[in-house]
Amino acid sequence: MVRRTLPVALYDDVGLPIDIDDDRLDTPAVLVDLDVVDANIERYQAFANRQGLALRPHSKTHKSVTVAERQLAAGAVGITVSGASEALAMTAGGVRDVLVAYPLVGPRKLERVAPLVRRAAGDGITVSLVADSSEVVQGYRELARSTGRTIPVLVEVDTGMNRVGADPAAAVKLAEEVARSQGLEFRGVMTHAGHSHDASDELGIEAVGRQEAMVMGGVREDLEAAGLDVQVVSAGSSITSAYLTAADGITEIRPGTYVYNDLRTLGRHACTPDALAATVLATVVSTSGRRVTIDAGSKTLTPTKDAAYGHGHVRHRPGVVFTRLSEEHGVMDARDDLPMPSVGDKVQVLPVHVCVWMDLQAEVYGVRGGRVVERIAVDAMRHSL
């Protein structure tokens, strides 16, 4: 029997398809409904097309070349990644256009991405980097010098999240520094309005999205007034993209979560329940009174909590509510008026934050009609360097 270095829920010699309740599928296991994934990809690509926007999905949600290929086949122009090691994983799998949406700081990060930059032109690969300070630009100049390649660079702008990004008023100066730097090509600007998660209602989310559009449109006007060629104005998450259009001066959007969705996305009015594609299949390992314990704890579900759903929602069992997580145990209470799950029963848990789930999985399982039909490698699992 073939065993992998990293443990997965199915041995290699298990032929597919199999039912999701087949005992050969160990738990906890992440299931992905492929019919829902296909519909999510098609719906978002159609939205981008209608709005006149390029779609560059963020791979942090799936971390999988297989899923990226589905997005690219539907019309995405490229993929967004969070770091150098993710870029290497995606391009090794055949992705040809990658935006590293994170300022790469320090010699080790630049050394890591250097082989990819060096071979990019010859292999027809485009690797764009992001900077929000002169210090980052200086590192990229050195990277360009050492590799002998011209590197496309986007200036990141802070539109209110206050995490990274240049002040909008400083964007022109930084863009001009990029444009005059030997070996660098100023390509445009980007932002991430992640503070949309902090909005209390749909009107608040729309206000964040419209602020994002206004700031980025204004920055584009300032850059063009300064004589700079702005090819890309990149913005929009799965939550705010609905409020952006090409008329705002935006050219592309970078949603990530939409491909699987999660309870946070649902709670932010960015998807409907039928668009939730991912669940953790878990087994009930203990019961006592109304207490139910499953074999999925913080190392699977993560400690992330939501005000409405706690650590997650057990599908088709609205009366079973999480009370706490240990590393290997999920502990829940069941309402008195509902049937109790029994030891050995399987349940499916919907994610609060699906992106974090995927970083903990070596492999997830594509499902159609209640049957596992596909193994999906999580190629960039734990690629945080």
Side-chain angles (χ1 to χ4, degrees):
M1 183 175 292
V2 177
R3 296 180 186 269
R4 298 169 184 249
T5 303
L6 290 172
V8 293
L10 277 178
Y11 291 133
D12 284 345
D13 62 350
V14 176
L16 299 181
I18 63 169
D19 292 338
I20 62 171
D21 58 359
D22 191 305
D23 287 339
R24 291 174 294 175
L25 179 61
D26 203 357
T27 60
V30 174
L31 309 180
V32 176
D33 189 313
L34 295 177
D35 291 332
V36 177
V37 169
D38 291 345
N40 289 345
I41 291 173
E42 180 180 353
R43 181 168 52 249
Y44 226 100
Q45 187 64 57
F47 164 77
N49 293 345
R50 288 195 306 272
Q51 299 298 92
L53 300 168
L55 179 61
R56 180 182 293 277
H58 206 306
S59 67
K60 66 178 181 178
T61 300
H62 54 73
K63 290 177 166 283
S64 167
V65 170
T66 296
V67 180
E69 288 173 342
R70 282 182 159 94
Q71 294 171 314
L72 292 166
V77 299
I79 294 296
T80 306
V81 300
S82 296
S85 60
E86 274 192 24
L88 292 167
M90 288 293 121
T91 55
V95 175
R96 314 303 291 174
D97 192 325
V98 173
L99 169 65
V100 184
Y102 198 103
L104 301 182
V105 176
R108 287 295 291 121
K109 289 286 190 296
L110 298 176
E111 288 168 8
R112 194 179 302 278
V113 81
L116 178 55
V117 170
R118 190 173 288 113
R119 70 180 177 87
D123 289 353
I125 297 172
T126 299
V127 181
S128 302
L129 304 183
V130 163
D132 69 347
S133 69
S134 293
E135 291 82 359
V136 174
V137 173
Q138 172 58 36
Y140 293 169
R141 282 200 294 265
E142 177 56 29
L143 177 63
R145 186 202 61 76
S146 65
T147 59
R149 295 289 189 264
T150 298
I151 302 171
V153 176
L154 275 67
V155 168
E156 183 163 7
V157 177
D158 181 11
T159 50
M161 189 178 185
N162 196 28
R163 184 176 67 181
V164 292
D167 185 284
V172 171
K173 181 179 179 181
L174 187 58
E176 288 175 334
E177 181 179 351
V178 172
R180 66 174 178 263
S181 294
Q182 185 173 359
L184 303 185
E185 175 197 358
F186 173 68
R187 184 67 62 86
V189 289
M190 63 151 284
T191 193
H192 176 58
H195 54 299
S196 56
H197 282 284
D198 299 329
S200 59
D201 54 27
E202 193 166 4
L203 288 176
I205 294 168
E206 182 175 5
V208 172
R210 294 311 303 156
Q211 173 74 6
E212 179 184 15
M214 182 186 70
V215 171
M216 294 303 283
V219 168
R220 177 176 183 169
E221 291 178 0
D222 292 345
L223 291 166
E224 291 176 339
L228 291 162
D229 180 23
V230 184
Q231 300 175 46
V232 177
V233 180
S234 184
S237 64
S238 296
I239 296 176
T240 65
S241 289
Y243 306 105
L244 309 180
T245 72
D248 298 313
I250 310 298
T251 67
E252 76 172 21
I253 52 176
R254 304 186 324 279
T257 312
Y258 81 95
V259 70
Y260 292 157
N261 288 309
D262 55 29
L263 295 170
R264 292 200 315 165
T265 315
L266 179 66
R268 294 299 177 271
H269 314 283
C271 75
T272 52
D274 61 317
L276 297 169
T279 59
V280 159
L281 183 70
T283 301
V284 176
V285 296
S286 178
T287 62
S288 178
R290 305 306 296 180
R291 188 260 293 150
V292 179
T293 304
I294 60 174
D295 62 353
S298 63
K299 289 181 177 177
T300 302
L301 304 176
T302 82
T304 307
K305 292 185 70 175
D306 177 84
Y309 298 102
H311 293 293
H313 171 65
V314 182
R315 176 170 274 172
H316 306 311
R317 291 187 179 271
V320 178
V321 180
F322 278 96
T323 58
R324 68 184 189 275
L325 295 182
S326 303
E327 292 182 13
E328 313 291 353
H329 304 81
V331 182
M332 302 173 289
D333 281 345
R335 288 208 321 248
D336 288 342
D337 58 338
L338 292 174
M340 279 279 292
S342 301
V343 171
D345 284 353
K346 303 286 180 65
V347 298
Q348 292 185 51
V349 182
L350 289 162
V352 172
H353 189 183
V354 71
C355 306
V356 190
W357 272 20
M358 293 301 148
D359 199 44
L360 304 174
Q361 310 299 320
E363 180 175 89
V364 301
Y365 301 96
V367 175
R368 294 191 193 274
R371 309 198 79 195
V372 177
V373 298
E374 184 178 348
R375 298 173 182 267
I376 301 174
V378 185
D379 305 278
M381 171 200 181
R382 306 305 299 147
H383 281 52
S384 56
L385 296 174

PDB file of all heavy atoms in Angstrom, residues 78-115:
ATOM      1  N   GLY A  78      -4.891  35.776 -15.128  1.00  0.00           N
ATOM      2  CA  GLY A  78      -3.725  35.337 -14.376  1.00  0.00           C
ATOM      3  C   GLY A  78      -4.154  35.028 -12.961  1.00  0.00           C
ATOM      4  O   GLY A  78      -5.349  34.985 -12.653  1.00  0.00           O
ATOM      5  N   ILE A  79      -3.164  34.821 -12.096  1.00  0.00           N
ATOM      6  CA  ILE A  79      -3.424  34.435 -10.719  1.00  0.00           C
ATOM      7  C   ILE A  79      -2.688  35.396  -9.789  1.00  0.00           C
ATOM      8  O   ILE A  79      -1.582  35.853 -10.091  1.00  0.00           O
ATOM      9  CB  ILE A  79      -2.962  32.981 -10.473  1.00  0.00           C
ATOM     10  CG1 ILE A  79      -3.816  32.008 -11.296  1.00  0.00           C
ATOM     11  CG2 ILE A  79      -3.012  32.612  -8.995  1.00  0.00           C
ATOM     12  CD1 ILE A  79      -5.280  31.962 -10.923  1.00  0.00           C
ATOM     13  N   THR A  80      -3.290  35.680  -8.643  1.00  0.00           N
ATOM     14  CA  THR A  80      -2.648  36.451  -7.586  1.00  0.00           C
ATOM     15  C   THR A  80      -2.154  35.500  -6.508  1.00  0.00           C
ATOM     16  O   THR A  80      -2.840  34.527  -6.174  1.00  0.00           O
ATOM     17  CB  THR A  80      -3.639  37.445  -6.952  1.00  0.00           C
ATOM     18  OG1 THR A  80      -4.219  38.241  -7.981  1.00  0.00           O
ATOM     19  CG2 THR A  80      -2.942  38.342  -5.944  1.00  0.00           C
ATOM     20  N   VAL A  81      -0.956  35.764  -5.971  1.00  0.00           N
ATOM     21  CA  VAL A  81      -0.420  34.951  -4.882  1.00  0.00           C
ATOM     22  C   VAL A  81       0.046  35.872  -3.764  1.00  0.00           C
ATOM     23  O   VAL A  81       0.179  37.077  -3.945  1.00  0.00           O
ATOM     24  CB  VAL A  81       0.742  34.046  -5.348  1.00  0.00           C
ATOM     25  CG1 VAL A  81       0.290  33.086  -6.434  1.00  0.00           C
ATOM     26  CG2 VAL A  81       1.932  34.883  -5.827  1.00  0.00           C
ATOM     27  N   SER A  82       0.321  35.255  -2.597  1.00  0.00           N
ATOM     28  CA  SER A  82       0.687  36.042  -1.424  1.00  0.00           C
ATOM     29  C   SER A  82       2.178  36.130  -1.164  1.00  0.00           C
ATOM     30  O   SER A  82       2.599  36.867  -0.275  1.00  0.00           O
ATOM     31  CB  SER A  82       0.000  35.461  -0.178  1.00  0.00           C
ATOM     32  OG  SER A  82      -1.389  35.577  -0.276  1.00  0.00           O
ATOM     33  N   GLY A  83       2.991  35.371  -1.881  1.00  0.00           N
ATOM     34  CA  GLY A  83       4.416  35.406  -1.595  1.00  0.00           C
ATOM     35  C   GLY A  83       5.222  34.665  -2.638  1.00  0.00           C
ATOM     36  O   GLY A  83       4.684  34.079  -3.591  1.00  0.00           O
ATOM     37  N   ALA A  84       6.547  34.674  -2.421  1.00  0.00           N
ATOM     38  CA  ALA A  84       7.463  34.079  -3.393  1.00  0.00           C
ATOM     39  C   ALA A  84       7.248  32.582  -3.535  1.00  0.00           C
ATOM     40  O   ALA A  84       7.234  32.044  -4.650  1.00  0.00           O
ATOM     41  CB  ALA A  84       8.907  34.372  -2.973  1.00  0.00           C
ATOM     42  N   SER A  85       7.078  31.866  -2.423  1.00  0.00           N
ATOM     43  CA  SER A  85       6.944  30.414  -2.517  1.00  0.00           C
ATOM     44  C   SER A  85       5.633  30.017  -3.188  1.00  0.00           C
ATOM     45  O   SER A  85       5.575  29.015  -3.908  1.00  0.00           O
ATOM     46  CB  SER A  85       7.064  29.771  -1.131  1.00  0.00           C
ATOM     47  OG  SER A  85       6.073  30.243  -0.258  1.00  0.00           O
ATOM     48  N   GLU A  86       4.567  30.793  -2.976  1.00  0.00           N
ATOM     49  CA  GLU A  86       3.316  30.522  -3.685  1.00  0.00           C
ATOM     50  C   GLU A  86       3.482  30.751  -5.180  1.00  0.00           C
ATOM     51  O   GLU A  86       2.941  29.997  -6.004  1.00  0.00           O
ATOM     52  CB  GLU A  86       2.185  31.405  -3.154  1.00  0.00           C
ATOM     53  CG  GLU A  86       1.476  30.845  -1.942  1.00  0.00           C
ATOM     54  CD  GLU A  86       0.190  31.596  -1.618  1.00  0.00           C
ATOM     55  OE1 GLU A  86      -0.397  32.220  -2.528  1.00  0.00           O
ATOM     56  OE2 GLU A  86      -0.224  31.555  -0.454  1.00  0.00           O
ATOM     57  N   ALA A  87       4.218  31.797  -5.543  1.00  0.00           N
ATOM     58  CA  ALA A  87       4.464  32.058  -6.962  1.00  0.00           C
ATOM     59  C   ALA A  87       5.210  30.890  -7.605  1.00  0.00           C
ATOM     60  O   ALA A  87       4.892  30.464  -8.725  1.00  0.00           O
ATOM     61  CB  ALA A  87       5.264  33.349  -7.126  1.00  0.00           C
ATOM     62  N   LEU A  88       6.195  30.363  -6.902  1.00  0.00           N
ATOM     63  CA  LEU A  88       6.950  29.227  -7.421  1.00  0.00           C
ATOM     64  C   LEU A  88       6.058  28.007  -7.578  1.00  0.00           C
ATOM     65  O   LEU A  88       6.157  27.270  -8.567  1.00  0.00           O
ATOM     66  CB  LEU A  88       8.127  28.921  -6.497  1.00  0.00           C
ATOM     67  CG  LEU A  88       9.234  29.984  -6.477  1.00  0.00           C
ATOM     68  CD1 LEU A  88      10.187  29.737  -5.316  1.00  0.00           C
ATOM     69  CD2 LEU A  88       9.987  29.998  -7.798  1.00  0.00           C
ATOM     70  N   ALA A  89       5.176  27.759  -6.614  1.00  0.00           N
ATOM     71  CA  ALA A  89       4.286  26.604  -6.692  1.00  0.00           C
ATOM     72  C   ALA A  89       3.331  26.724  -7.873  1.00  0.00           C
ATOM     73  O   ALA A  89       3.088  25.748  -8.594  1.00  0.00           O
ATOM     74  CB  ALA A  89       3.511  26.449  -5.386  1.00  0.00           C
ATOM     75  N   MET A  90       2.769  27.906  -8.087  1.00  0.00           N
ATOM     76  CA  MET A  90       1.811  28.086  -9.178  1.00  0.00           C
ATOM     77  C   MET A  90       2.483  27.980 -10.545  1.00  0.00           C
ATOM     78  O   MET A  90       1.978  27.321 -11.450  1.00  0.00           O
ATOM     79  CB  MET A  90       1.111  29.444  -9.037  1.00  0.00           C
ATOM     80  CG  MET A  90       0.118  29.527  -7.908  1.00  0.00           C
ATOM     81  SD  MET A  90      -1.337  28.472  -8.137  1.00  0.00           S
ATOM     82  CE  MET A  90      -1.203  27.456  -6.665  1.00  0.00           C
ATOM     83  N   THR A  91       3.628  28.627 -10.701  1.00  0.00           N
ATOM     84  CA  THR A  91       4.300  28.581 -12.005  1.00  0.00           C
ATOM     85  C   THR A  91       4.881  27.207 -12.285  1.00  0.00           C
ATOM     86  O   THR A  91       4.932  26.774 -13.438  1.00  0.00           O
ATOM     87  CB  THR A  91       5.398  29.648 -12.092  1.00  0.00           C
ATOM     88  OG1 THR A  91       6.314  29.497 -10.994  1.00  0.00           O
ATOM     89  CG2 THR A  91       4.804  31.049 -12.053  1.00  0.00           C
ATOM     90  N   ALA A  92       5.313  26.489 -11.250  1.00  0.00           N
ATOM     91  CA  ALA A  92       5.794  25.119 -11.451  1.00  0.00           C
ATOM     92  C   ALA A  92       4.685  24.234 -12.001  1.00  0.00           C
ATOM     93  O   ALA A  92       4.945  23.274 -12.724  1.00  0.00           O
ATOM     94  CB  ALA A  92       6.332  24.542 -10.138  1.00  0.00           C
ATOM     95  N   GLY A  93       3.442  24.566 -11.662  1.00  0.00           N
ATOM     96  CA  GLY A  93       2.308  23.798 -12.153  1.00  0.00           C
ATOM     97  C   GLY A  93       1.795  24.254 -13.498  1.00  0.00           C
ATOM     98  O   GLY A  93       0.836  23.679 -14.016  1.00  0.00           O
ATOM     99  N   GLY A  94       2.380  25.307 -14.061  1.00  0.00           N
ATOM    100  CA  GLY A  94       2.000  25.730 -15.404  1.00  0.00           C
ATOM    101  C   GLY A  94       1.289  27.062 -15.499  1.00  0.00           C
ATOM    102  O   GLY A  94       0.950  27.507 -16.602  1.00  0.00           O
ATOM    103  N   VAL A  95       1.031  27.743 -14.384  1.00  0.00           N
ATOM    104  CA  VAL A  95       0.419  29.068 -14.441  1.00  0.00           C
ATOM    105  C   VAL A  95       1.433  30.049 -15.030  1.00  0.00           C
ATOM    106  O   VAL A  95       2.583  30.094 -14.596  1.00  0.00           O
ATOM    107  CB  VAL A  95      -0.029  29.520 -13.035  1.00  0.00           C
ATOM    108  CG1 VAL A  95      -0.561  30.952 -13.072  1.00  0.00           C
ATOM    109  CG2 VAL A  95      -1.093  28.572 -12.493  1.00  0.00           C
ATOM    110  N   ARG A  96       0.997  30.873 -15.986  1.00  0.00           N
ATOM    111  CA  ARG A  96       1.942  31.682 -16.762  1.00  0.00           C
ATOM    112  C   ARG A  96       1.974  33.152 -16.365  1.00  0.00           C
ATOM    113  O   ARG A  96       2.882  33.874 -16.772  1.00  0.00           O
ATOM    114  CB  ARG A  96       1.602  31.608 -18.268  1.00  0.00           C
ATOM    115  CG  ARG A  96       1.325  30.223 -18.786  1.00  0.00           C
ATOM    116  CD  ARG A  96       2.472  29.274 -18.548  1.00  0.00           C
ATOM    117  NE  ARG A  96       3.633  29.581 -19.362  1.00  0.00           N
ATOM    118  CZ  ARG A  96       4.815  28.959 -19.245  1.00  0.00           C
ATOM    119  NH1 ARG A  96       4.975  28.031 -18.305  1.00  0.00           N
ATOM    120  NH2 ARG A  96       5.817  29.292 -20.031  1.00  0.00           N
ATOM    121  N   ASP A  97       1.000  33.626 -15.607  1.00  0.00           N
ATOM    122  CA  ASP A  97       0.935  35.044 -15.263  1.00  0.00           C
ATOM    123  C   ASP A  97       0.577  35.169 -13.791  1.00  0.00           C
ATOM    124  O   ASP A  97      -0.524  34.801 -13.375  1.00  0.00           O
ATOM    125  CB  ASP A  97      -0.113  35.742 -16.134  1.00  0.00           C
ATOM    126  CG  ASP A  97      -0.019  37.274 -16.043  1.00  0.00           C
ATOM    127  OD1 ASP A  97       0.300  37.785 -14.961  1.00  0.00           O
ATOM    128  OD2 ASP A  97      -0.286  37.936 -17.065  1.00  0.00           O
ATOM    129  N   VAL A  98       1.519  35.701 -12.993  1.00  0.00           N
ATOM    130  CA  VAL A  98       1.364  35.734 -11.546  1.00  0.00           C
ATOM    131  C   VAL A  98       1.662  37.125 -11.024  1.00  0.00           C
ATOM    132  O   VAL A  98       2.675  37.732 -11.395  1.00  0.00           O
ATOM    133  CB  VAL A  98       2.301  34.707 -10.865  1.00  0.00           C
ATOM    134  CG1 VAL A  98       2.275  34.856  -9.361  1.00  0.00           C
ATOM    135  CG2 VAL A  98       1.912  33.285 -11.254  1.00  0.00           C
ATOM    136  N   LEU A  99       0.795  37.623 -10.154  1.00  0.00           N
ATOM    137  CA  LEU A  99       1.044  38.846  -9.407  1.00  0.00           C
ATOM    138  C   LEU A  99       1.333  38.464  -7.960  1.00  0.00           C
ATOM    139  O   LEU A  99       0.491  37.836  -7.303  1.00  0.00           O
ATOM    140  CB  LEU A  99      -0.177  39.770  -9.453  1.00  0.00           C
ATOM    141  CG  LEU A  99      -0.157  40.971  -8.494  1.00  0.00           C
ATOM    142  CD1 LEU A  99       0.960  41.937  -8.856  1.00  0.00           C
ATOM    143  CD2 LEU A  99      -1.510  41.673  -8.466  1.00  0.00           C
ATOM    144  N   VAL A 100       2.496  38.833  -7.465  1.00  0.00           N
ATOM    145  CA  VAL A 100       2.849  38.592  -6.070  1.00  0.00           C
ATOM    146  C   VAL A 100       2.379  39.814  -5.278  1.00  0.00           C
ATOM    147  O   VAL A 100       3.062  40.827  -5.215  1.00  0.00           O
ATOM    148  CB  VAL A 100       4.361  38.365  -5.891  1.00  0.00           C
ATOM    149  CG1 VAL A 100       4.669  38.009  -4.433  1.00  0.00           C
ATOM    150  CG2 VAL A 100       4.850  37.252  -6.814  1.00  0.00           C
ATOM    151  N   ALA A 101       1.215  39.702  -4.659  1.00  0.00           N
ATOM    152  CA  ALA A 101       0.567  40.856  -4.036  1.00  0.00           C
ATOM    153  C   ALA A 101       1.016  41.023  -2.592  1.00  0.00           C
ATOM    154  O   ALA A 101       0.203  41.047  -1.662  1.00  0.00           O
ATOM    155  CB  ALA A 101      -0.951  40.707  -4.118  1.00  0.00           C
ATOM    156  N   TYR A 102       2.311  41.164  -2.419  1.00  0.00           N
ATOM    157  CA  TYR A 102       2.901  41.294  -1.083  1.00  0.00           C
ATOM    158  C   TYR A 102       4.287  41.885  -1.270  1.00  0.00           C
ATOM    159  O   TYR A 102       5.057  41.392  -2.108  1.00  0.00           O
ATOM    160  CB  TYR A 102       3.015  39.913  -0.426  1.00  0.00           C
ATOM    161  CG  TYR A 102       3.194  39.927   1.074  1.00  0.00           C
ATOM    162  CD1 TYR A 102       2.146  39.631   1.923  1.00  0.00           C
ATOM    163  CD2 TYR A 102       4.427  40.238   1.640  1.00  0.00           C
ATOM    164  CE1 TYR A 102       2.300  39.626   3.301  1.00  0.00           C
ATOM    165  CE2 TYR A 102       4.598  40.249   3.016  1.00  0.00           C
ATOM    166  CZ  TYR A 102       3.531  39.934   3.845  1.00  0.00           C
ATOM    167  OH  TYR A 102       3.703  39.939   5.201  1.00  0.00           O
ATOM    168  N   PRO A 103       4.645  42.932  -0.542  1.00  0.00           N
ATOM    169  CA  PRO A 103       5.993  43.499  -0.718  1.00  0.00           C
ATOM    170  C   PRO A 103       7.061  42.524  -0.243  1.00  0.00           C
ATOM    171  O   PRO A 103       7.048  42.089   0.918  1.00  0.00           O
ATOM    172  CB  PRO A 103       5.956  44.764   0.151  1.00  0.00           C
ATOM    173  CG  PRO A 103       4.866  44.534   1.145  1.00  0.00           C
ATOM    174  CD  PRO A 103       3.852  43.675   0.459  1.00  0.00           C
ATOM    175  N   LEU A 104       7.982  42.160  -1.132  1.00  0.00           N
ATOM    176  CA  LEU A 104       9.032  41.200  -0.792  1.00  0.00           C
ATOM    177  C   LEU A 104      10.209  41.961  -0.184  1.00  0.00           C
ATOM    178  O   LEU A 104      10.856  42.761  -0.854  1.00  0.00           O
ATOM    179  CB  LEU A 104       9.472  40.425  -2.035  1.00  0.00           C
ATOM    180  CG  LEU A 104       8.374  39.620  -2.742  1.00  0.00           C
ATOM    181  CD1 LEU A 104       8.947  38.867  -3.938  1.00  0.00           C
ATOM    182  CD2 LEU A 104       7.678  38.674  -1.783  1.00  0.00           C
ATOM    183  N   VAL A 105      10.482  41.681   1.074  1.00  0.00           N
ATOM    184  CA  VAL A 105      11.498  42.416   1.821  1.00  0.00           C
ATOM    185  C   VAL A 105      12.551  41.449   2.343  1.00  0.00           C
ATOM    186  O   VAL A 105      12.224  40.425   2.951  1.00  0.00           O
ATOM    187  CB  VAL A 105      10.871  43.174   3.008  1.00  0.00           C
ATOM    188  CG1 VAL A 105      11.944  43.862   3.844  1.00  0.00           C
ATOM    189  CG2 VAL A 105       9.846  44.197   2.507  1.00  0.00           C
ATOM    190  N   GLY A 106      13.820  41.775   2.086  1.00  0.00           N
ATOM    191  CA  GLY A 106      14.917  40.975   2.620  1.00  0.00           C
ATOM    192  C   GLY A 106      15.546  40.075   1.572  1.00  0.00           C
ATOM    193  O   GLY A 106      14.887  39.634   0.628  1.00  0.00           O
ATOM    194  N   PRO A 107      16.835  39.778   1.734  1.00  0.00           N
ATOM    195  CA  PRO A 107      17.556  39.005   0.717  1.00  0.00           C
ATOM    196  C   PRO A 107      17.012  37.612   0.500  1.00  0.00           C
ATOM    197  O   PRO A 107      17.035  37.104  -0.627  1.00  0.00           O
ATOM    198  CB  PRO A 107      19.001  38.973   1.255  1.00  0.00           C
ATOM    199  CG  PRO A 107      18.899  39.315   2.707  1.00  0.00           C
ATOM    200  CD  PRO A 107      17.729  40.216   2.836  1.00  0.00           C
ATOM    201  N   ARG A 108      16.524  36.938   1.545  1.00  0.00           N
ATOM    202  CA  ARG A 108      16.045  35.571   1.353  1.00  0.00           C
ATOM    203  C   ARG A 108      14.806  35.537   0.468  1.00  0.00           C
ATOM    204  O   ARG A 108      14.660  34.659  -0.387  1.00  0.00           O
ATOM    205  CB  ARG A 108      15.749  34.916   2.707  1.00  0.00           C
ATOM    206  CG  ARG A 108      16.986  34.553   3.494  1.00  0.00           C
ATOM    207  CD  ARG A 108      17.829  33.457   2.783  1.00  0.00           C
ATOM    208  NE  ARG A 108      17.149  32.173   2.780  1.00  0.00           N
ATOM    209  CZ  ARG A 108      16.817  31.494   1.692  1.00  0.00           C
ATOM    210  NH1 ARG A 108      17.073  31.973   0.494  1.00  0.00           N
ATOM    211  NH2 ARG A 108      16.228  30.323   1.782  1.00  0.00           N
ATOM    212  N   LYS A 109      13.887  36.493   0.661  1.00  0.00           N
ATOM    213  CA  LYS A 109      12.701  36.535  -0.199  1.00  0.00           C
ATOM    214  C   LYS A 109      13.095  36.774  -1.646  1.00  0.00           C
ATOM    215  O   LYS A 109      12.580  36.147  -2.576  1.00  0.00           O
ATOM    216  CB  LYS A 109      11.762  37.649   0.274  1.00  0.00           C
ATOM    217  CG  LYS A 109      11.041  37.382   1.584  1.00  0.00           C
ATOM    218  CD  LYS A 109       9.934  36.362   1.409  1.00  0.00           C
ATOM    219  CE  LYS A 109       9.062  36.268   2.656  1.00  0.00           C
ATOM    220  NZ  LYS A 109       9.766  35.779   3.836  1.00  0.00           N
ATOM    221  N   LEU A 110      14.031  37.700  -1.852  1.00  0.00           N
ATOM    222  CA  LEU A 110      14.437  38.029  -3.216  1.00  0.00           C
ATOM    223  C   LEU A 110      15.222  36.883  -3.847  1.00  0.00           C
ATOM    224  O   LEU A 110      15.071  36.604  -5.045  1.00  0.00           O
ATOM    225  CB  LEU A 110      15.251  39.318  -3.202  1.00  0.00           C
ATOM    226  CG  LEU A 110      14.488  40.547  -2.685  1.00  0.00           C
ATOM    227  CD1 LEU A 110      15.397  41.758  -2.617  1.00  0.00           C
ATOM    228  CD2 LEU A 110      13.260  40.843  -3.544  1.00  0.00           C
ATOM    229  N   GLU A 111      16.031  36.198  -3.051  1.00  0.00           N
ATOM    230  CA  GLU A 111      16.735  35.020  -3.568  1.00  0.00           C
ATOM    231  C   GLU A 111      15.754  33.928  -3.966  1.00  0.00           C
ATOM    232  O   GLU A 111      15.966  33.201  -4.944  1.00  0.00           O
ATOM    233  CB  GLU A 111      17.694  34.483  -2.507  1.00  0.00           C
ATOM    234  CG  GLU A 111      18.922  35.352  -2.260  1.00  0.00           C
ATOM    235  CD  GLU A 111      19.683  34.927  -1.017  1.00  0.00           C
ATOM    236  OE1 GLU A 111      19.345  33.863  -0.437  1.00  0.00           O
ATOM    237  OE2 GLU A 111      20.603  35.663  -0.607  1.00  0.00           O
ATOM    238  N   ARG A 112      14.687  33.818  -3.199  1.00  0.00           N
ATOM    239  CA  ARG A 112      13.706  32.771  -3.479  1.00  0.00           C
ATOM    240  C   ARG A 112      13.003  33.001  -4.812  1.00  0.00           C
ATOM    241  O   ARG A 112      12.739  32.067  -5.567  1.00  0.00           O
ATOM    242  CB  ARG A 112      12.679  32.720  -2.337  1.00  0.00           C
ATOM    243  CG  ARG A 112      11.808  31.475  -2.321  1.00  0.00           C
ATOM    244  CD  ARG A 112      10.844  31.504  -1.142  1.00  0.00           C
ATOM    245  NE  ARG A 112      11.541  31.599   0.129  1.00  0.00           N
ATOM    246  CZ  ARG A 112      12.081  30.565   0.769  1.00  0.00           C
ATOM    247  NH1 ARG A 112      12.003  29.356   0.229  1.00  0.00           N
ATOM    248  NH2 ARG A 112      12.687  30.724   1.921  1.00  0.00           N
ATOM    249  N   VAL A 113      12.677  34.268  -5.098  1.00  0.00           N
ATOM    250  CA  VAL A 113      11.946  34.565  -6.319  1.00  0.00           C
ATOM    251  C   VAL A 113      12.875  34.766  -7.518  1.00  0.00           C
ATOM    252  O   VAL A 113      12.421  34.739  -8.669  1.00  0.00           O
ATOM    253  CB  VAL A 113      11.041  35.800  -6.116  1.00  0.00           C
ATOM    254  CG1 VAL A 113      11.811  37.091  -6.244  1.00  0.00           C
ATOM    255  CG2 VAL A 113       9.859  35.780  -7.057  1.00  0.00           C
ATOM    256  N   ALA A 114      14.179  34.935  -7.281  1.00  0.00           N
ATOM    257  CA  ALA A 114      15.117  35.247  -8.362  1.00  0.00           C
ATOM    258  C   ALA A 114      15.111  34.217  -9.490  1.00  0.00           C
ATOM    259  O   ALA A 114      15.100  34.601 -10.672  1.00  0.00           O
ATOM    260  CB  ALA A 114      16.530  35.431  -7.802  1.00  0.00           C
ATOM    261  N   PRO A 115      15.136  32.893  -9.215  1.00  0.00           N
ATOM    262  CA  PRO A 115      15.123  31.936 -10.329  1.00  0.00           C
ATOM    263  C   PRO A 115      13.897  32.068 -11.220  1.00  0.00           C
ATOM    264  O   PRO A 115      13.987  31.904 -12.438  1.00  0.00           O
ATOM    265  CB  PRO A 115      15.151  30.578  -9.612  1.00  0.00           C
ATOM    266  CG  PRO A 115      15.742  30.850  -8.275  1.00  0.00           C
ATOM    267  CD  PRO A 115      15.258  32.223  -7.912  1.00  0.00           C
TER     268      PRO A 115
END
